[in-house]
Amino acid sequence: DGYFYQRVAECRYSSKDLQGIEYIDSYVFNQAEYIRFNSTVGKYVGYTEHGVKNAEAWNSDAGILAQELGELERVCKHNAAIYYSA
């Protein structure tokens, strides 16, 4: 009864090497992911018509992309030692 919106940001650690860290920022509406930023790809990818339009707009803005890539450094790499010690 209503709409469901969710944004999930996560760090994926595949090795202890800091180069193996991946930052993913997903946008979900009514349990369907419609757009995702992946630091490995370096841009947004849309999965629905709305997501593709947003991806095109957001990918054309260097400031938005720089902010997302900054999250890889600020959040993922900064907290890697905590993740690996757990």
Side-chain angles (χ1 to χ4, degrees):
D1 297 67
Y3 298 101
F4 175 79
Y5 171 79
Q6 180 179 15
R7 182 176 176 190
V8 178
E10 64 179 306
C11 300
R12 293 186 180 169
Y13 300 92
S14 59
S15 69
K16 289 193 176 187
D17 179 11
L18 291 181
Q19 300 304 318
I21 299 174
E22 182 177 44
Y23 173 73
I24 297 177
D25 190 8
S26 300
Y27 296 76
V28 178
F29 182 73
N30 283 349
Q31 299 181 2
E33 182 178 29
Y34 66 94
I35 191 169
R36 173 189 291 186
F37 176 84
N38 183 316
S39 64
T40 303
V41 177
K43 66 178 184 175
Y44 287 93
V45 176
Y47 298 108
T48 65
E49 183 179 347
H50 177 67
V52 169
K53 288 181 182 180
N54 281 332
E56 290 173 1
W58 296 351
N59 286 333
S60 67
D61 187 330
I64 292 175
L65 292 176
Q67 182 177 356
E68 287 285 27
L69 288 170
E71 293 298 294
L72 174 67
E73 296 292 327
R74 188 179 71 80
V75 177
C76 299
K77 291 185 179 180
H78 179 74
N79 291 305
I82 296 168
Y83 174 82
Y84 291 127
S85 69

